[in-house]
């Protein structure tokens, strides 16, 4: 259920995503002839970006790049992919004050999963650090409240969700409880975050910043880890290869009030600017447990009913997209 929730959230939030059902349907039209034709044309038009790490000089890396380009041009007769087709995947922009809900059934598991996404917007250095320090502060109390105290399930987590240059807060809960109750518990916790932040002493906040700083500046233990970090910068179009140092420098300037203001703008249930999208994964045969505990969270936030999303394709067709993230460094244009 958790992986299904992640998948359908991506389908709803990203403009170029194919659902597993769509891919399965397309496979039925593939045969040997169409596959062989695809293999002959796959490199007809190319746009190539590369990254090389390890024991090599700049000259050796450029020589490998030249050799690759030569094989594509002379061997595969490849031409440059037009700039109009080089657009990266982009993220759906949710309107302020929205609350959408998308439901899907699961034929295998008898538990539910609720994934809630509170959208912030396009990534930038300060917002990145505010989101990360907020996630770190609430991580333990979120788990303790929903997993240990309310015993919603074994899979309970909060984290930053980033894709296509856009970001937000993600809450994930897999449970045997009814989905409405699970989501209500999550909102009850989000309401309590105001008090969690207010009760955080300046010394504790400084310690949180120090802990995140140490984690971000930790040296990669493997070459592959450093390679992947740089590769994702290229894939996402950010090209911020010194991201850890740049963002930690910003992190050290943040105050506790900055985090409180950030929470009240984007995550507080009372905020008119909050943007929420929830995915509910439901068991096909229903739950054994149909009621929540006697404690019905009567002191929780009063929220308007969600707007149901029945078709993801139609939902995205009527929404705008965020702009692509501006590269952190100047990238020269591709050459023919």
């Amino acid at each position: 259920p958790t992986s299904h929730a992640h998948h359908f959230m991506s389908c709803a939030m990203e403009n170029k995503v194919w659902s597993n059902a769509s891919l399965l349907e397309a496979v039925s039209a593939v045969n040997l002839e169409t596959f062989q034709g695809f293999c002959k044309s796959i490199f007809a038009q190319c746009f190539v970006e590369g990254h090389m790490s390890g024991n090599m000089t700049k000259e050796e890396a450029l020589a490998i790049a030249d050799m690759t380009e030569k094989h594509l041009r002379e061997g595969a007769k490849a031409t440059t992919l037009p700039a109009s087709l080089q657009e990266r995947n982009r993220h759906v922009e949710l309107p302020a004050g929205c609350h959408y809900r998308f439901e899907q059934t699961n034929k295998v598991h008898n538990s539910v999963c609720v994934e809630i996404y509170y959208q912030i917007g396009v990534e930038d250095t300060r917002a990145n650090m505010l989101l990360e320090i907020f996630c770190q502060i609430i991580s333990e109390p979120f788990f303790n409240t929903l997993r240990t105290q309310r015993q919603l399930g074994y899979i309970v987590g909060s984290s930053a969700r980033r894709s296509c240059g856009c970001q937000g807060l993600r809450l994930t809960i897999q449970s045997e409880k009814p989905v409405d109750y699970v989501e209500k518990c999550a909102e009850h916790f989000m309401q309590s975050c105001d008090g969690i932040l207010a009760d955080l002493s300046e010394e504790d906040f400084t310690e949180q910043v120090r802990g995140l700083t140490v984690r971000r500046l930790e040296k990669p233990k493997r070459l592959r880890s450093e390679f992947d970090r740089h590769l994702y910068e290229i894939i996402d179009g950010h090209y911020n290869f010194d991201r850890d140092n740049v963002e930690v420098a910003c992190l050290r300037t943040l105050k506790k009030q900055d985090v409180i203001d950030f929470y009240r703008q984007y995550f507080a249930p009372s905020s008119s600017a909050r943007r929420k999208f929830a995915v509910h994964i439901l068991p096909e045969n229903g739950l054994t447990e149909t009621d929540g505990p006697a404690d019905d969270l009567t002191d929780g936030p009063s929220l308007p009913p969600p707007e149901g999303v029945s078709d993801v394709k139609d939902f995205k067709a009527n929404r705008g997209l965020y702009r692509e993230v501006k590269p952190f460094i100047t990238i020269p244009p591709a050459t023919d």
Side-chain angles (χ1 to χ4, degrees):
T2 303
S3 61
H4 287 178
H6 293 342
H7 170 69
F8 286 114
M9 184 66 76
S10 295
C11 289
M13 291 294 102
E14 300 170 24
N15 72 318
K16 294 180 182 178
V17 174
W18 288 267
S19 68
N20 291 333
S22 298
L23 295 174
L24 187 61
E25 182 180 352
V27 167
S28 62
V30 176
N31 54 40
L32 180 61
E33 182 180 356
T34 57
F35 177 71
Q36 289 175 332
F38 172 77
C39 291
K40 292 177 182 178
S41 63
I42 186 172
F43 293 118
Q45 292 182 318
C46 290
F47 172 73
V48 179
E49 289 184 298
H51 173 54
M52 301 178 207
S53 292
N55 188 20
M56 67 177 70
T57 65
K58 175 181 177 180
E59 291 71 24
E60 290 171 334
L62 291 173
I64 293 174
D66 291 339
M67 179 182 66
T68 302
E69 183 176 348
K70 180 179 179 181
H71 280 291
L72 286 171
R73 291 190 182 279
E74 298 180 3
K77 307 300 181 184
T79 58
T80 302
L81 186 71
S84 60
L85 299 179
Q86 295 176 21
E87 184 181 76
R88 286 182 165 84
N89 199 5
R90 293 165 64 192
H91 202 284
V92 172
E93 182 176 0
L94 298 176
C98 71
H99 176 191
Y100 296 108
R101 177 183 293 178
F102 179 65
E103 296 184 349
Q104 283 287 297
T105 56
N106 185 316
K107 299 180 180 180
V108 179
H109 301 280
N110 291 323
S111 56
V112 306
C113 184
V114 174
E115 178 167 325
I116 303 173
Y117 173 57
Y118 301 102
Q119 189 180 79
I120 295 172
V122 176
E123 291 182 47
D124 66 64
T125 299
R126 190 171 190 274
N128 291 358
M129 288 296 90
L130 283 166
L131 177 59
E132 288 192 26
I133 192 64
F134 178 77
C135 287
Q136 178 168 294
I137 291 170
I138 71 165
S139 177
E140 188 278 330
F142 180 76
F143 183 87
N144 183 57
T145 302
L146 276 69
R147 168 67 185 95
T148 306
Q149 297 178 19
R150 298 203 177 275
Q151 299 183 350
L152 293 185
Y154 287 103
I155 300 178
V156 174
S158 57
S159 63
R161 183 187 188 277
R162 291 182 173 127
S163 66
C164 312
C166 186
Q167 65 180 342
L169 173 67
R170 171 167 58 194
L171 306 180
T172 305
I173 307 163
Q174 185 171 311
S175 177
E176 303 294 329
K177 311 290 185 183
V179 287
D180 288 338
Y181 176 75
V182 172
E183 185 168 342
K184 196 174 183 180
C185 288
E187 286 290 8
H188 189 272
F189 175 82
M190 291 307 297
Q191 179 176 255
S192 73
C193 287
D194 202 297
I196 291 172
L197 293 172
D199 293 341
L200 192 70
S201 68
E202 291 298 334
E203 292 76 13
D204 288 340
F205 179 75
T206 300
E207 190 60 33
Q208 291 281 0
V209 170
R210 184 181 297 112
L212 181 55
T213 297
V214 170
R215 180 162 58 86
R216 287 295 304 269
L217 296 182
E218 182 180 9
K219 299 297 182 184
K221 293 182 173 61
R222 298 182 302 162
L223 177 62
R224 179 58 187 266
S225 299
E226 182 179 46
F227 176 87
D228 287 345
R229 184 184 301 175
H230 292 161
L231 183 61
Y232 291 139
E233 291 289 340
I234 296 171
I235 293 173
D236 292 339
H238 296 178
Y239 306 102
N240 188 356
F241 300 112
D242 194 31
R243 177 179 297 276
D244 288 330
N245 289 317
V246 170
E247 293 191 341
V248 164
C250 175
L251 171 65
R252 287 168 170 159
T253 68
L254 298 180
K255 307 298 182 185
K256 189 181 83 166
Q257 188 60 47
D258 295 327
V259 182
I260 293 175
D261 294 341
F262 180 74
Y263 155 77
R264 289 175 177 172
Q265 178 178 358
Y266 292 109
F267 307 140
S270 59
S271 172
S272 61
R274 190 172 78 156
R275 291 169 284 193
K276 175 182 176 182
F277 194 101
V279 172
H280 289 186
I281 304 298
L282 309 169
E284 188 175 47
N285 298 323
L287 284 171
T288 302
E289 185 174 349
T290 57
D291 298 314
D295 171 18
D296 60 355
L297 304 174
T298 54
D299 59 337
S302 177
L303 299 172
E307 181 178 346
V309 175
S310 58
D311 187 289
V312 166
K313 182 179 179 181
D314 288 344
F315 173 77
K316 292 193 290 187
N318 293 291
R319 302 291 178 280
L321 300 174
Y322 279 107
R323 60 170 175 82
E324 290 188 14
V325 175
K326 295 181 180 179
F328 191 77
I329 60 175
T330 301
I331 304 298
T335 57
D336 294 330

